[in-house]
Amino acid sequence: MADKQYTDAIALLKADHRKVEDLFEKFSKASAKDRKWALAREICTELKIHSTIEEEIFYPTFEGKVEEDLWHEAYVEHDGAKVLINDIMAAEGKDDFFEAKVTVLCEEIGHHVQEEEKPGEGFFAQARESGVDMVELRDRMLARKEELMAQARGGGLPPAVLAAVQVQPA
Ligand SMILES: [Fe+2]
Ligand SMILES: [Fe+2]
């Protein structure tokens, strides 16, 4: 059973973080253009799925249970990443800023992951203290993740939708 792979909701989210870190590392070491684009595409898909399960299931569960500032910042950080993700996907690795965009995305995600995982005071630490059933939460997130993965393998995922930041049309 796939769900037995992760002890709870936080273990599932941390495993996603490690996977993306590994992909960013591979991206920084790759030199061939197509390889870099393939990795960037994989990073964007992973991040879209991860942010969706956090925003649809994990974050709402902890509204009022996690410090409000931290809770709000999580959404804004996701939105910042989504702007780059959508831009990277649209340009298909062909623009001059491609590598810079992926590098900055990596830095932004690094900061965000730290805010989530910071021992004692991060989002996850505060979430764990709330007493919410993390196993039930894992099951719901995993089910949604599998659905999104199937969608990604099929027609692909649509551009990420921003949750808090309003982007003005050009
Ligand atoms: Fe996360
Ligand atoms: Fe997050």
Side-chain angles (χ1 to χ4, degrees):
M1 283 283 289
D3 61 346
K4 299 291 175 268
Q5 216 180 321
Y6 314 103
T7 50
D8 66 8
I10 290 172
L12 167 64
L13 295 175
K14 282 186 172 177
D16 280 354
H17 292 170
R18 299 296 84 79
K19 176 158 193 200
V20 170
E21 281 164 5
D22 180 57
L23 289 168
F24 275 123
E25 171 92 20
K26 287 190 171 114
F27 180 91
S28 73
K29 287 183 179 151
S31 46
K33 271 247 166 216
D34 330 353
R35 171 83 178 133
K36 279 204 180 273
W37 167 235
L39 285 163
R41 222 170 33 201
E42 202 180 339
I43 288 167
C44 290
T45 300
E46 287 291 330
L47 289 174
K48 278 202 255 188
I49 294 173
H50 182 81
S51 60
T52 302
I53 63 171
E54 284 188 337
E55 287 180 31
E56 286 183 359
I57 303 164
F58 193 79
Y59 291 174
T61 302
F62 299 102
E63 183 173 14
K65 295 185 173 75
V66 160
E67 229 170 90
E68 197 183 29
D69 289 1
L70 191 67
W71 192 83
H72 280 140
E73 283 166 26
Y75 284 92
V76 178
E77 286 170 4
H78 275 200
D79 279 0
K82 285 181 218 165
V83 170
L84 281 175
I85 288 167
N86 289 341
D87 190 273
I88 289 165
M89 289 302 288
E92 298 182 353
K94 292 185 185 106
D95 73 316
D96 291 345
F97 290 94
F98 168 62
E99 291 208 33
K101 285 169 184 171
V102 178
T103 302
V104 172
L105 179 63
C106 177
E107 290 164 1
E108 286 184 6
I109 295 298
H111 167 81
H112 179 68
V113 163
Q114 250 195 320
E115 295 280 298
E116 289 187 336
E117 295 193 15
K118 205 182 285 170
E121 53 186 303
F123 198 118
F124 292 174
Q126 291 186 34
R128 201 178 276 296
E129 274 172 28
S130 70
V132 164
D133 182 350
M134 291 289 183
V135 173
E136 184 272 338
L137 205 54
R138 171 203 65 193
D139 292 344
R140 276 196 286 142
M141 287 201 296
L142 206 51
R144 182 66 175 124
K145 185 176 172 179
E146 278 162 7
E147 208 174 83
L148 290 160
M149 281 164 65
Q151 198 184 337
R153 281 192 302 270
L157 296 168
V161 177
L162 306 195
V165 173
Q166 307 294 318
V167 177
Q168 297 301 320

